[in-house]
């Protein structure tokens, strides 16, 4: 009999580009995700049939990194198998049929969800379900970094593995489950896919942690999370310097995340939206992850500007996830949502804007 598995996608609520610097994040698992029907096999091979994406096959005796597989699901399967094996965990073959409700390119962590799905399958089929979700998340991050070629932090994999809304401090390793219910506050959370291309953006993404690490190194630290914020702010920095601005964003955002967590816990939608707008402005003005000089794609910037025109004084909006292309996240009173959705769909296409429900 086949076993069924489901892994949620995730939406980032706060902590834009803080996770890779041992910072703080607030993120939530969502109702959309990846589902699989799986049966084990004794052929030492993993076969995955993904509806709409074809078939892949990985043999258990062939687990070295293959750069030609970068950015493919096959790389993630190979990376998860190698990661489990490297930790002395059991691996084995299986056949899976996979379906997904996560829209491609929407920044809802489809690659992280798929990696965690493979880890969860290996856990249940061959390790008696005893592996901690955090371990699965770390293996998934390693698979994305080394096998998939994506220099990401741990946020997406961790939230997908835990399957709930969480506040995480990567420096102290504190993980706090949060009850998040925007509908109880009379608010609607949504994402708009602006249609910008993610092609050729790896360098732009990688430059953000590199710039932050550059500043951390000036304090003889490896990441900004280990730098004293007061020591950083005591310096006479040139604000036109890109690494400096990105470090400014990190320290401001890192202090903002616990305040957004507290507002969410208290059901204080007004304060949460105020802080969400501060976060969005920081990403635009300091982190500078809206438009890249590589592609010159302005669709994300257009989405943010349109959101401002529709929601200013009534709601909140910010870049969602890594940036440079992709989605605008917005939060507003539920009676405003139909107007907002109509305006966004008018510009970016019917169905581009949709409500996001948290698990």
């Amino acid at each position: 009999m086949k076993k069924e598995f489901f892994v949620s996608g995730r939406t980032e609520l706060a902590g834009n580009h803080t996770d890779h610097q041992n910072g703080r994040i607030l993120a939530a698992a969502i109702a959309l995700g990846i589902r699989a029907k799986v049966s084990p096999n004794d052929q030492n091979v993993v076969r995955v049939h993904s509806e709409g994406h074809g078939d892949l096959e990985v043999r258990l005796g062939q687990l070295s990194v293959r750069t030609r597989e970068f950015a493919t699901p096959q790389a993630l399967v190979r990376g998860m198998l190698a990661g489990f094996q490297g930790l002395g965990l059991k691996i084995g073959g299986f056949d899976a049929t996979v379906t997904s409700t996560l829209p491609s390119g929407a920044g809802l962590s489809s690659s992280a969800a798929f990696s965690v799905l493979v880890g969860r399958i290996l856990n249940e089929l061959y390790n008696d379900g005893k592996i901690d979700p955090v371990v699965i998340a770390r293996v998934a991050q390693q698979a994305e970094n080394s096998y998939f070629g994506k220099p990401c932090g741990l946020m997406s994999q961790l939230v997908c593995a835990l399957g709930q809304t969480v506040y995480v401090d990567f420096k102290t390793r504190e993980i706090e489950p949060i009850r998040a219910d925007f509908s109880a506050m009379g608010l609607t959370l949504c994402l708009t896919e602006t249609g910008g291309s993610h092609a050729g953006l790896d360098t732009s993404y990688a430059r953000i942690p590199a710039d932050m690490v550059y500043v951390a190194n000036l304090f003889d630290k490896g990441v900004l999370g280990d730098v004293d914020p007061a020591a950083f702010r005591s310096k006479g920095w040139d604000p036109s310097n890109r690494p400096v601005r990105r470090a400014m964003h990190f320290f401001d955002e890192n202090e903002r995340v616990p305040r957004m967590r507290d507002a969410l816990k208290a059901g204080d939608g007004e304060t949460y939206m105020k802080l969400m707008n501060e976060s969005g402005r920081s990403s635009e003005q300091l982190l500078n992850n809206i438009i890249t000089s590589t592609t010159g794609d302005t669709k994300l910037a257009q989405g943010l500007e349109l959101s401002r025109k529709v929601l200013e004084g009534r709601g909140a909006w910010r870049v969602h996830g890594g940036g440079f292309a992709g989605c605008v996240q917005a939060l507003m009173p539920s009676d405003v949502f139909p107007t907002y959705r109509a305006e966004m769909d008018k510009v970016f296409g019917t169905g581009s804007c949709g409500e996001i429900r948290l698990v």
Side-chain angles (χ1 to χ4, degrees):
M1 180 181 295
K2 291 186 176 182
K3 289 192 173 185
E4 295 194 9
F5 297 83
F6 176 78
V7 174
S8 295
R10 74 96 184 97
T11 186
E12 172 195 290
L13 299 176
N16 197 211
H17 281 283
T18 55
D19 59 333
H20 49 68
Q21 298 298 300
N22 277 354
R24 303 169 179 134
I25 62 99
L26 182 66
I30 61 175
L32 303 175
I34 303 178
R35 194 174 303 276
K37 293 183 178 180
V38 183
S39 57
N41 66 52
D42 58 1
Q43 300 167 30
N44 288 326
V45 62
V46 170
R47 302 185 190 91
V48 178
H49 171 72
S50 180
E51 294 185 6
H53 296 281
D55 300 336
L56 67 84
E57 182 176 296
V58 175
R59 296 197 172 276
L60 271 60
Q62 301 173 353
L63 300 183
S64 59
V65 175
R66 300 184 178 189
T67 55
R68 67 179 180 275
E69 287 184 350
F70 276 7
T72 68
Q74 194 163 356
L76 295 173
V77 173
R78 202 179 305 277
M80 292 303 295
L81 288 165
F84 268 55
Q85 188 176 69
L87 292 175
L89 301 171
K90 295 178 181 179
I91 61 174
F94 61 84
D95 294 275
T97 300
V98 175
T99 57
S100 175
T101 54
L102 294 173
S104 177
L108 295 173
S109 295
S110 57
S111 60
F114 182 71
S115 300
V116 169
L117 175 69
V118 175
R120 193 170 288 175
I121 292 169
L122 292 172
N123 183 27
E124 293 296 326
L125 294 186
Y126 296 107
N127 293 274
D128 300 321
K130 295 179 179 179
I131 304 172
D132 190 286
V134 176
V135 173
I136 293 176
R138 291 192 179 280
V139 175
Q141 181 198 15
Q142 179 183 357
E144 288 210 58
N145 291 168
S146 301
Y147 283 75
F148 194 71
K150 182 179 180 181
C152 60
L154 183 60
M155 173 180 64
S156 297
Q157 298 83 3
L158 187 60
V159 177
C160 291
L162 293 173
Q164 58 187 320
T165 302
V166 289
Y167 164 81
V168 182
D169 186 325
F170 287 103
K171 182 176 181 179
T172 65
R173 299 192 177 184
E174 175 190 0
I175 300 175
E176 179 186 358
I178 303 294
R179 182 181 180 275
D181 190 350
F182 288 115
S183 62
M185 303 180 212
L187 302 175
T188 295
L189 181 72
C190 68
L191 287 179
T192 300
E193 172 53 61
T194 62
S197 173
H198 289 80
L201 293 180
D202 286 350
T203 300
S204 297
Y205 289 134
R207 193 172 288 131
I208 292 177
D211 282 348
M212 291 182 175
V213 167
Y214 170 79
V215 175
N217 290 166
L218 298 177
F219 294 86
D220 199 29
K221 302 295 183 181
V223 291
L224 288 176
D226 293 333
V227 176
D228 179 5
F232 170 79
R233 290 174 174 140
S234 70
K235 304 292 185 181
W237 299 107
D238 176 3
S240 68
N241 182 280
R242 187 188 66 207
V244 168
R245 291 197 309 273
R246 285 175 165 170
M248 289 176 174
H249 164 81
F250 171 83
F251 289 113
D252 290 349
E253 184 81 344
N254 211 40
E255 293 174 358
R256 189 159 35 238
V257 172
R259 294 160 60 201
M260 292 182 72
R261 172 203 62 190
D262 293 344
L264 195 59
K265 290 167 65 175
D268 184 351
E270 183 177 351
T271 297
Y272 184 92
M273 287 192 290
K274 176 179 179 292
L275 293 169
M276 179 175 167
N277 276 326
E278 288 180 9
S279 174
R281 285 193 296 272
S282 183
S283 291
E284 290 185 55
Q285 298 170 9
L286 296 177
L287 189 60
N288 297 135
N289 65 334
I290 309 303
I291 301 173
T292 171
S293 58
T294 306
T295 65
D297 194 321
T298 62
K299 291 185 176 66
L300 179 57
Q302 292 171 19
L304 292 167
E305 176 60 18
L306 180 56
S307 297
R308 183 191 67 78
K309 290 180 179 178
V310 177
L311 295 178
E312 192 160 33
R314 299 195 292 177
W317 61 96
R318 65 190 287 272
V319 60
H320 181 258
F324 299 113
C327 286
V328 174
Q329 183 188 82
L331 182 66
M332 67 209 73
S334 295
D335 61 352
V336 175
F337 176 61
T339 299
Y340 177 80
R341 179 172 54 189
E343 291 298 318
M344 299 302 275
D345 280 359
K346 188 186 304 180
V347 173
F348 299 107
T350 302
S352 61
C353 178
E355 181 179 358
I356 293 296
R357 297 186 181 276
L358 309 186
V359 174

